[in-house]
Each structure stands twice: as structure tokens, then as C-alpha cells.
Amino acid sequence: MASKFVYFFGNGKAEGRGDQKQLLGGKGAGLAEMTNIGLPVPGGFTITTEACKHYYDNGKQWPASLEKEVRANLSKLEKACRKKLGDANDPLLVSVRSGSAVSMPGMMETVLNLGLNDRSVEGLAKATGNARFAWDSYRRFIQMYSTVVVGLPKDVLEEKLHHLKEKAGAATDADLSPDHWRELCGEFKAFFEAQTGRPFPQDPWAQLEGAVNAVFGSWMADKAVTYRRVERIHGLPGTAVNICQMVFGNMGEDSGTGVCFTRNPSTGENEFYGDLLMNAQGEDVVAGIRTPLQLVDLAKTHPEVYEQLCGVRAMLETHYKDMQDLEFTVERGKLYMLQCRSGKRSPAASFRIAVEQASKPVITKVEAARLVKKKYLSKRYADAASKPIINREAAILRIKPVDIDRLFHPVIDPNYDAKSLSTKQLGIGINAVPGAASGQIVFTAPTAEQWHSEGKKVILVRRETSPEDVGGMHAAEGILTATGGKTSHAAVVARGWGKCCVVGLGAMRIDEKNRTMSLNGHTLSEGDYLTLDGAEGAVYEGELPLVTPQLPEEYHTLMKWCDEIRRLRVRTNADTPYDAENAIRMGAEGIGLCRTEHMFFDTEDRRRAIQEMIVADALETRQAALAKLLPFQRQDFIGIFEAMDGRPVTIRLVDPPLHEFVPHDEAKQRDLAENLGVPYEKIRDRVEQLHETNPMLGHRGCRLCITYPEILDMQVRAIIEAAVEVRRRGVKVAPEIMIPLCIDAKELKILTDRTRLVADEIIEGSAMKLSYLVGTMIETPRAALTADKVAEVSDFFSFGTNDLTQTVMSLSRDDAGRFLPDYVDQNKAAIFKDDPFQTLDLEGVGMLMSMAIEKGRSTKRELKIGICGEHGGDGPSVRFCHAAGMDYVSCSPYRVPIARLAAAQAVIEGGKGAPRTSASVKTRAAAAKSSVRPAKRATTAKATPKPVRSKSMPLAAVNARAKTSAKSKARARAK
Ligand code: PEP
Ligand code: MG
């Protein structure tokens, strides 16, 4: 059977249904549903999104049967309305509107008053007894058709209207006479003919065909394509076309048109909220020419229409179980519903509406009874509207990660004029960290710190950032880089602080010497103002107004509901006590990743100590430098353990290649040489020696500790001594030492054995009982493939999916930002649906993770498994982690609530997920405080504590010593 491309609605019955959004678009599905539930909807028909798809798949040709179907449905509509399109006496007029499955407000086209021509305009004037209305409608149609269908310039026609008003001495449109409008129609038609070489189309069918093609065409217009890209709307076939009988809100003072929401979309308050204009058409409301009335005014002037609308409001919100955005027209006192869809709302309103719909009625029983009595609401809907319309699960599913993101970060004032905003936009990069920031441009980290100390707000603009820039990055309001993707250094560090960050703005050129940046033809200098929108990746010239949303009470209620449901625990990636405390406020149940190297750059002393350690060429000098670092690290860990108050804290040993810690330019190298009292050449040669072509696959991660085990000794010492100290102060501690980037079980065994030796000796010397875990990150394909063996020497796994994505996909996380956008852009290569550094690539990386989990648990059934790559704060990736049976996810503090939400949504959406390890039996309340698992390994002080070993042992000796003791302990642990 040939496909059906057209669905009719009218006379109280529709062929389509509300759940057919994919086929009929949101508007078409809404019109069908409203018709079917008995609301007053003008008749019409919807051409499906499949027809639009066919149009594009076949060189912009309609499907063969479409013309016949449209003609048949047009006849049906003419019969239902008892009017004919283009009729010389009482013509039917139609609107032709776009509408895809996902609302794209203002992105696609509409044509109104179609069917008017030189003959039917006279008929309309006669039938309505209103020549002014008829000729105004005709000029609106010519104007819309000329600009939307044919693409003639809007401003020329606007200018002609303006000119006519001036000539007639008319202050507003209402002061123009029918003859004025007739004259303007003549001018518009003449302009049309002059521009196109053909007269304005008089044949209604030709008009309709043109308008349908224009709506199809608007699906691929630049603005619509950009909107879909930015909003990550993928996989839609096209737009539907809704052809609907026109009803008129401009037929006098008993007519009007309006837009309303069933609740306040800004605050979420349960109030009927909206604007309307009497004696006007929809476009007048949108154009904002006249000040609209509030709905409460309608209650005074037209109480019956208002009451009827109240019935519609209660009915539609109850029917759709969500806040609705409604468009309506009143024609000579009769109400018509033109559109209903889920209403867009502020993030705060999202929480309030979801929580209130799940806990309070839509309307009071008294109001319901009043509306029933007036026959504006059926008994069935009145009963349903007098109770909560959704349950808690539905409320949780309603919230999107962006609702949370936008609650915690400043945004560009939503009231800021959209037109001015678009003229100020200089470019779009990769939206690494949400929030908005404005400040003065600086190009170096020291300048950022300097200006910040002078009380200035700065935006740090760099080609890319490195650990050396951390001070300046922290001082800046926002960070902008020309290269890098969502897991680049800038993105990862900024995300930890919740600081606005845009990366990978490839079009930007930075001239550091002259302190300028140029972008799309604009050149800005140091000190000029710039505004970043990290949620969109947009960069704006100047200082735009920002607002910080208020956290609504309902946020806490909803997050509590999430915590009661979810199975996955949520930890945070935090490197400082401040971040840790912040993360606890956001609901973190532990630290899943503390990147110790971030601590090396906090102060000049620390920077110097690590640099001294790196340039040391003998064990003794290296140990001397490490001894300087030890107190710093210990102090930091004390702070973190105290802040976490017994929650698990996973501390990773040093990870990045050493060259990242030393300066690369001559001046800084000379400075370092002077400070360390060594010749400049020595520094220069050491930096050269450290140089790697491919540092991400080079001397980094646990390979550093294989070469320099004394680094491990110092870090483990700092961790365990800090834990002992905090324990001594009466605070519980649960340290988990994590070894990064392992590739082999033997490699890991060498390091875990050494870790345990150092740790146990300190614990024994402390005369205290202290449990700790030693585990590894799974960041390389080989570690994943040999996970059964790796699990033999590891208490836990934490997937480092930033590196794992990089290594599995062979995509450099720092360079992929240059080309990955094309891979993700659905209008370019469209190879991936999402950026794999942001959302786990389930087919590849996810597959390997599942295999590693299975293998790891085949060795140790109770193996604790988590994730600490950026994916730990991404909704779809968290769902995968839940389904794969992981124990926890870990993410930056500001993403903790997103992970809590996604973990709850994963449970509701069905996948209970693979059973968790024994810890899952704990109650949620207990888990929040004591998510420390039963000690896998406890070292109890002996009666006579041994002195703490102060020197690092040679590796061979450690191996020999470890062989017997650790082997038997490891076996015991595995049981
Ligand atoms: C990872 O690779 O996923 C990870 C968390 O480590 P980093 O980003 O520090 O390399
Ligand atoms: Mg890593």
C-alpha cells in the first residue's frame, strides 16, 4: 500500500493522534489530539514529516501521490467549512505552518491568509462586511508570501508600509483606511512583479504549492540547521506542514489572539500565565507592536471566554501531564485552540513544576466543580485535575541535565535583546563548561593573576593551557582556548571549578606578542571586554549582563527523591579541601579521583620543589626535592580527609609526563636555573631530554613510578601519614590509593607491592588500625583486555575514560577538538552522534569496559568498580555505568547533581543494572555517610611498633621483600 502522507482533522475527529509527533510533528500531533478530546480546533490537515523527507531524498520532488492527497483533503476541508479556497464570495483562507517532532521556536516558516487574491479579497470584504479587514489580510498575505515563499527582502516591504503611514498621517496601522490597504496591496504586487518577472500568483493551488515548498525549504535553512546542531537535535525526518482553516482575532473588539502557559514558565508557579491582544492577529502579539493584556484582564472584559480558557488549561495540563504552552484565537467571541505543546521553562520552573505536579493538584476541587458546572470541563478531567497528575518517578524523568547545569552557573540575562546578542557574537567554539562569564581579555596566566589581584575581572585567552597556567586560570572569570576538546587540560581543570570555559575555537588567532586576538574579522586587544557563554560555546564582544539563578526549594526535594531511588553511588573529582567541601554540598559521597599533580602548582614553593625533583639527576638530590614536597602533599591530604569525614577518598599517584612541570621558554628556564642554583644549560638540556613526540603515550602515569619509585614512596607516605594524623584527631578516613595508566598486571604488582610496603610500615609505626585500598585505573586497552589478571593485584578499578577513549579510538584528546566537531555535526560527516570524549562511545569504549568488568569480577566477584573520566558526569554515560553494574561514578563537583539525577533516571527507565557488589545492601542513608566498604585490608599495629622507614628502597629489594608477604595477602584479599 502506498504511504499515507496527509492526515485530516476537523468536525471533532482527527485521523492522527497526539503520540504521532515523529510523523505529524509536534503541532500536527497537538492539533489532532486537541480535536479528538473535544476541544474547539479549526479544521485542517497535516502533511507528514515523511513527505518532507521524501522531498529532500528525491531532488525536492513531492511524493507522487501527495498532490492527489492534498487536493482530496482540501476538498474535505472545504466541505467541512462550507467555503472554497479562493472563492469570489465567501472564501476559505488557510494558514500553512511548519512543525517538526521537536519544537524549534521561530526557526521555520509560516504563511497566513493563503487563498486571498484580487477576486476573493472582495468576497471576504463582502462576507465579513469589513473591507478594511479584508484588504489588510490581503496585504499581510502578499507580504508574507513575497518574503517567505519567494525570498524578497522584508525591509523593503516594511519601508513601503512605513512610507504609506507617513503619507496618510497615520500613527498606527489602525488609522489606515481600506483604500490605504488596497493601495499598499497594489504596491506590494508591483514590487513582486518587478523583482520576479511574473505577476503575484492568483491561483490558490499555486499559492498552496509554493507555501508547502517554502515550509519544506525552511527545514534546511541555515538558522534551522544551526539550531538543531546547537540543541543536539538529531535523527528527525523533516518538518510536517499544517494547513489549517484561518480564524481571525482581528475581527473587532470581541476578537483577539493570545499565547499562554498553564503555569508560570519563569517561576513555575501554578498560575494561568499569558498575554493576549484584542482585535489582532498572532503575528501582532509576536511583533510586540502593541502592549498585550494579561489573562486576568480577559477575566474582567470577557469572563466567559476566560472561564472557557480555564477549562482548556486544566484539561490540557491534565491530559498531557505537563505544563503546556497554548495558542488561541477568539473570533467574534468564539474560542479556537491553535496549538498546544509542552511549554519551555526556566530551570527553576522545571523543578517547581515537576515537584508540584507530583505532590499537589492542578486546580482546587472548588474550581474544578465550578468549571464542571459551566460545562467547560468534563467530570473525568475535573477529578483527575484535582489530584497530583504525575508520580515522583515521572517528576525525576522530567528533569534534564541542562536544568541542573543552568541552576548553578551565571547565564547571559535572558531578557537581553536577542538581536543585539547575535550582532555581538564573534564565533562559536566547543562548549566545554557551562555558565557565562565576562571580563577583560588577558593572554597570559601571570597577567590574569596580576589583574585579578587588582580587582579586575579577566577572561584568559590562550591557544591551549598547561598546568603552568593553573594560577591564571583560577584567577580568570572564564577561559577561552583556540585548540582542545572537552577533555583538554583547560576543560578538565575549569570543569572542576565549575568555571565557564570555551575551547577549540579554531577560527581564533592569537598574537601574544602584540597582545591581540582576531576572530572572524574582529581584532580585540588585551583589556577589551569579552563575554563567554560556556553552555553554547559562544563568544561575544563586550561585557554582557549576567544573572545567577536562585536555587529553588524544589531542587532539594527532587534530588532527595533521586537519592532514594538510585543504586549507583556518586563521588567527585576534587583536588583540594575546598573542592571537596563544595562537592559534599552538591551531594558527593566520596572522592573518586584526586589528581595529586594539581597540587604541585598551587604556590611558587611547590612549583620549585617539583621542578627541582625533575631536574635532579641523582637519587639523593631527587629524594631531597621530594622531601620538600612531602609536607605540602601531606597537608593537602589532611585537609581533604577531614573535609570528607570518613567518606572514601581515591588519591591517584602522579600522572602527567614530567615535561609538563618545567618551563619551555628561555627566560623562565634561566629563572629556574638561578633559583635552583644550577647552570641554565643543565635546565635546558633536561627539558630537551624530557621532550616527547607523543607525551600522552610516553613517560607518564605509573611508568614514572617504575622509573622513579621514590616518587611513589613520597606520595604514599604523604597519603598514609595524613590518614594517620586525621584518624588521630578522631575523624574516620578511608584512603584508596590509585595507580594510573597501567598496562600490565606485573607492572601493577610491582607498584601495588611497593605501595603496601610503604603504607604498612607507616601504619605499623603509628600503633593504629587503618584500612586502605590499592587499586588501578583502567585507561589502556591492554589493561582492559587483561583485567582478570590486573584484578589479582588490584582492590578496585576506576575507568579513566578520558585516556581510555583516547587510546581505544586512537584520537588525541588534546587535538581531536580540531576535527571532531565535523565527525559529530549531523550536517557534515555525522560519523558519531556525540563527542566520544563527552558521552561514552558505547560500541567501542563501552564494549571494552563491559569486557573488563566481566573479566575483573571473574577474578574478584566483589571488585569495586567506578569511573572517573569526564563521562562520570554525563547522563547517557552514567546510565551505561548503571547498566554495566558499576559501583560508583565520579565527576567534577558541579556535575555531581547531574550524575545523581542520571543514576536515578537509569533505575526508573527500567535497567535495574547488574547487581552491585556487597556494599549495595547498605541503606541509602547509611551509604551517604559511610560509603567505605568493609576493610579489604587492615593493618593493625603490633605491640611494639617498628620505626617508620624513611628512605626509599631500591626496587629490586622491594620486589624481593614483597614477593612472599604481599602474594599471600593478595590471595587472601581475592577470596
Ligand atoms: C582519565 O583519563 O579518564 C582520567 C580521569 O585521568 P586524566 O584525565 O587525569 O588523564
Ligand atoms: Mg587519565
Side-chain angles (χ1 to χ4, degrees):
M1 201 184 82
S3 296
K4 177 174 168 65
F5 289 110
V6 182
Y7 287 71
F8 188 79
F9 51 89
N11 284 341
K13 259 180 36 207
E15 291 179 324
R17 294 186 317 267
D19 60 3
Q20 288 179 308
K21 272 193 189 172
Q22 280 292 329
L23 185 69
L24 304 177
K27 187 173 295 180
L31 288 166
E33 192 73 5
M34 287 196 291
T35 305
N36 281 333
I37 63 174
L39 288 178
V41 176
F45 54 91
T46 302
I47 302 177
T48 66
T49 55
E50 291 299 331
C52 179
K53 181 172 182 329
H54 180 286
Y55 177 80
Y56 281 107
D57 290 348
N58 293 276
K60 301 198 176 171
Q61 294 298 314
W62 286 19
S65 58
L66 185 58
E67 178 171 344
K68 201 166 149 216
E69 277 192 74
V70 172
R71 284 190 187 275
N73 278 279
L74 182 59
S75 302
K76 207 164 156 185
L77 180 63
E78 287 176 334
K79 240 184 241 148
C81 305
R82 297 204 192 92
K83 290 180 180 184
K84 277 189 101 52
L85 198 68
D87 190 73
N89 294 314
D90 183 10
L92 166 70
L93 305 187
V94 293
S95 61
V96 181
R97 294 174 198 259
S98 57
S100 72
V102 178
S103 149
M104 298 169 48
M107 294 299 136
M108 292 185 295
E109 298 299 359
T110 291
V111 179
L112 301 178
N113 301 329
L114 189 140
L116 279 173
N117 56 23
D118 295 352
R119 275 184 343 141
S120 62
V121 66
E122 303 285 6
L124 184 67
K126 238 186 281 153
T128 58
N130 190 339
R132 190 186 171 284
F133 157 75
W135 283 99
D136 180 20
S137 300
Y138 192 26
R139 79 85 197 171
R140 286 173 192 255
F141 172 56
I142 303 169
Q143 192 167 353
M144 263 190 161
Y145 194 93
S146 304
T147 54
V148 170
V149 179
V150 183
L152 300 185
K154 260 191 188 126
D155 36 348
V156 177
L157 298 173
E158 280 299 334
E159 188 50 39
K160 286 184 189 300
L161 169 60
H162 185 69
H163 189 239
L164 177 78
K165 275 191 341 211
E166 253 181 16
K167 202 173 77 179
T172 68
D173 289 5
D175 300 327
L176 292 173
S177 69
D179 285 341
H180 285 129
W181 290 123
R182 184 198 297 262
E183 183 186 333
L184 195 61
C185 286
E187 279 190 41
F188 281 4
K189 282 191 291 171
F191 179 70
F192 183 97
E193 193 159 350
Q195 293 291 310
T196 62
R198 58 191 162 93
F200 186 78
Q202 296 292 307
D203 172 20
W205 174 257
Q207 292 176 353
L208 186 59
E209 205 175 17
V212 170
N213 285 339
V215 172
F216 281 163
S218 67
W219 175 249
M220 292 308 285
D222 283 351
K223 61 178 177 180
V225 171
T226 307
Y227 184 85
R228 290 197 291 277
R229 180 168 52 75
V230 171
E231 295 287 318
R232 295 168 86 193
I233 301 171
H234 308 310
L236 299 183
T239 179
V241 187
N242 299 291
I243 292 140
C244 203
Q245 180 196 2
M246 285 289 302
V247 285
F248 296 95
N250 54 344
M251 287 190 117
E253 286 311 315
D254 57 353
S255 302
T257 187
V259 176
C260 56
F261 292 83
T262 56
R263 298 190 186 221
N264 185 320
S266 304
T267 64
E269 195 181 337
N270 187 2
E271 60 174 345
F272 202 6
Y273 180 95
D275 290 338
L276 81 156
L277 275 181
M278 298 313 283
N279 200 7
Q281 274 201 330
E283 66 210 78
D284 304 331
V285 182
V286 180
I289 311 163
R290 285 159 49 191
T291 310
L293 302 172
Q294 306 276 297
L295 275 176
V296 282
D297 300 325
L298 185 71
K300 287 180 219 138
T301 56
H302 299 79
E304 283 316 305
V305 174
Y306 178 75
E307 287 286 84
Q308 201 178 343
L309 263 175
C310 288
V312 171
R313 170 198 179 217
M315 187 168 170
L316 283 174
E317 180 160 312
T318 307
H319 185 76
Y320 282 104
K321 299 187 187 312
D322 193 10
M323 186 265 262
Q324 298 294 299
D325 162 355
L326 311 175
E327 276 179 31
F328 66 92
T329 283
V330 181
E331 184 182 288
R332 292 183 172 154
K334 181 166 166 36
L335 175 70
Y336 291 95
M337 298 309 299
L338 303 184
Q339 177 164 304
C340 92
R341 60 184 170 191
S342 234
K344 290 212 187 287
R345 61 206 78 176
S346 74
S350 293
F351 280 93
R352 181 161 177 184
I353 292 171
V355 168
E356 290 196 349
Q357 283 182 334
S359 52
K360 295 180 180 170
V362 177
I363 50 174
T364 61
K365 285 205 163 99
V366 176
E367 190 177 356
R370 199 188 69 240
L371 292 171
V372 170
K373 201 165 159 209
K374 295 202 154 185
K375 296 203 172 12
Y376 291 143
L377 191 63
S378 69
K379 179 88 177 58
R380 184 166 74 90
Y381 278 111
D383 286 346
S386 318
K387 297 181 205 121
I389 49 172
I390 58 173
N391 59 21
R392 287 183 180 188
E393 282 78 10
I396 290 171
L397 288 178
R398 180 81 65 68
I399 303 298
K400 294 186 222 62
V402 314
D403 296 328
I404 295 182
D405 256 349
R406 294 190 174 155
L407 267 190
F408 286 96
H409 301 289
V411 291
I412 295 174
D413 188 343
N415 296 322
Y416 189 73
D417 177 45
K419 228 182 192 161
S420 317
L421 192 65
S422 71
T423 56
K424 286 185 188 296
Q425 192 176 96
L426 298 177
I428 297 220
I430 297 174
N431 50 342
V433 187
S438 343
Q440 291 175 275
I441 299 170
V442 291
F443 295 101
T444 67
T447 322
E449 286 185 80
Q450 176 62 33
W451 288 28
H452 174 72
S453 71
E454 292 163 13
K456 293 180 185 164
K457 288 185 171 183
V458 298
I459 300 287
L460 178 62
V461 179
R462 305 278 297 149
R463 190 171 173 280
E464 68 213 346
T465 63
S466 74
E468 280 206 304
D469 294 327
V470 166
M473 292 166 75
H474 197 256
E477 302 296 308
I479 299 151
L480 171 65
T481 68
T483 63
K486 287 188 175 174
T487 54
S488 61
H489 178 266
V492 170
V493 173
R495 196 169 295 126
W497 298 323
K499 190 176 293 262
C500 164
C501 178
V502 176
V503 296
L505 186 60
M508 176 171 72
R509 296 282 163 268
I510 300 173
D511 180 348
E512 231 183 85
K513 207 165 125 237
N514 293 310
R515 301 181 179 208
T516 60
M517 59 173 269
S518 50
L519 185 55
N520 294 328
H522 292 76
T523 299
L524 302 177
S525 304
E526 185 175 79
D528 287 348
Y529 277 91
L530 203 62
T531 298
L532 308 181
D533 181 343
E536 306 290 344
V539 177
Y540 300 96
E541 191 170 9
E543 190 181 17
L544 301 184
L546 308 181
V547 291
T548 307
Q550 287 265 320
L551 209 56
E553 194 41 48
E554 291 77 10
Y555 162 81
H556 299 288
T557 309
L558 195 121
M559 294 314 293
K560 198 169 131 267
W561 293 352
C562 289
D563 292 344
E564 284 165 8
I565 285 180
R566 70 187 159 87
R567 183 192 62 77
L568 269 177
R569 299 232 172 97
V570 178
R571 297 194 190 179
T572 190
N573 297 353
D575 314 322
T576 64
Y578 172 81
D579 288 349
E581 276 162 19
N582 190 23
I584 290 173
R585 278 194 296 274
M586 309 292 264
E589 296 165 294
I591 289 183
L593 173 63
C594 169
R595 292 177 165 104
T596 48
E597 62 272 11
H598 287 179
M599 301 167 169
F600 296 148
F601 275 92
D602 244 23
T603 61
E604 198 50 37
D605 293 353
R606 291 168 181 226
R607 210 175 323 218
R608 285 286 177 249
I610 182 86
Q611 288 171 335
E612 190 180 330
M613 188 281 284
I614 292 167
V615 298
D617 45 13
L619 181 63
E620 280 70 29
T621 40
R622 196 156 38 246
Q623 280 173 336
L626 284 166
K628 290 187 192 162
L629 278 173
L630 177 74
F632 293 130
Q633 291 239 293
R634 189 173 42 219
Q635 204 47 45
D636 289 337
F637 296 141
I638 288 176
I640 290 177
F641 285 136
E642 285 198 321
M644 295 311 286
D645 193 17
R647 297 172 181 87
V649 177
T650 308
I651 298 172
R652 179 180 73 182
L653 303 186
V654 68
D655 182 54
L658 296 182
H659 79 87
E660 285 199 6
F661 299 102
V662 286
H664 291 86
D665 62 275
E666 190 181 325
K668 284 192 187 146
Q669 287 177 0
R670 284 191 185 280
D671 183 45
L672 178 61
E674 200 182 308
N675 252 283
L676 297 181
V678 295
Y680 154 69
E681 289 71 23
K682 180 172 175 180
I683 303 287
R684 184 199 59 199
D685 294 350
R686 180 68 176 143
V687 172
E688 242 165 55
Q689 197 185 12
L690 288 172
H691 174 80
E692 289 176 326
T693 309
N694 228 326
M696 273 301 183
L697 300 178
H699 198 188
R700 59 167 289 218
C702 63
R703 297 157 207 171
L704 290 170
C705 292
I706 290 286
T707 315
Y708 304 117
E710 50 282 2
I711 301 181
L712 175 146
D713 294 348
M714 182 280 286
Q715 292 204 289
V716 173
R717 175 168 298 282
I719 295 166
I720 299 297
E721 286 181 355
V724 165
E725 172 59 29
V726 173
R727 195 85 177 76
R728 196 167 278 139
R729 295 178 192 175
V731 179
K732 281 192 193 152
V733 282
E736 299 182 350
I737 300 170
M738 184 156 77
I739 296 175
L741 215 77
C742 90
I743 49 175
D744 185 80
K746 184 169 175 197
E747 173 197 47
L748 187 63
K749 180 166 166 23
I750 292 170
L751 299 171
T752 53
D753 283 352
R754 186 159 185 137
T755 299
R756 287 178 179 127
L757 263 176
V758 175
D760 290 353
E761 207 166 301
I762 298 166
I763 296 168
E764 280 168 19
S766 73
M768 256 184 204
K769 198 174 165 215
L770 185 86
S771 303
Y772 67 92
L773 302 179
V774 187
T776 189
M777 294 179 79
I778 302 292
E779 299 183 276
T780 65
R782 196 172 189 284
L785 291 167
T786 59
D788 46 348
K789 297 204 179 72
V790 172
E792 281 173 12
V793 285
S794 193
D795 292 336
F796 63 88
F797 284 176
S798 177
F799 285 98
T801 43
N802 302 335
D803 275 312
L804 193 61
T805 300
Q806 156 165 275
T807 50
V808 169
M809 302 187 93
S810 303
L811 288 177
S812 152
R813 59 198 262 192
D814 291 317
D815 304 314
R818 291 189 200 155
F819 54 86
L820 214 47
D822 286 357
Y823 273 63
V824 180
D825 192 331
Q826 298 307 297
N827 296 304
K828 291 193 176 159
I831 294 166
F832 298 127
K833 208 169 131 267
D834 298 296
D835 178 341
F837 286 105
Q838 187 185 4
T839 298
L840 273 175
D841 154 48
L842 296 188
E843 278 184 2
V845 180
M847 161 83 95
L848 195 64
M849 289 169 74
S850 300
M851 187 192 290
I853 294 170
E854 203 184 311
K855 276 178 159 266
R857 292 217 171 119
S858 72
T859 300
K860 272 188 194 158
R861 208 169 53 83
E862 294 288 291
L863 188 72
K864 175 151 69 170
I865 300 182
I867 180 175
C868 62
E870 294 306 301
H871 306 88
D874 167 70
S877 310
V878 172
R879 285 180 175 77
F880 165 80
C881 296
H882 165 85
M886 287 192 200
D887 296 282
Y888 69 87
V889 296
S890 186
C891 53
S892 53
Y894 285 96
R895 295 173 107 190
V896 164
I898 294 177
R900 289 162 67 198
L901 171 77
Q905 290 179 336
V907 174
I908 298 165
E909 279 161 4
K912 278 220 162 53
R916 195 164 64 174
T917 53
S918 64
S920 62
V921 297
K922 288 185 180 174
T923 62
R924 173 65 38 205
K929 184 89 180 129
S930 61
S931 53
V932 188
R933 283 154 52 90
K936 291 255 180 181
R937 169 177 189 81
T939 307
T940 313
K942 305 267 158 54
T944 42
K946 280 186 195 163
V948 175
R949 190 164 51 88
S950 58
K951 262 171 72 182
S952 91
M953 269 181 170
L955 199 52
V958 171
N959 288 344
R961 210 177 122 175
K963 236 174 217 163
T964 43
S965 63
K967 220 176 192 175
S968 52
K969 283 179 186 170
R971 248 185 265 117
R973 267 197 315 279
K975 279 182 190 154

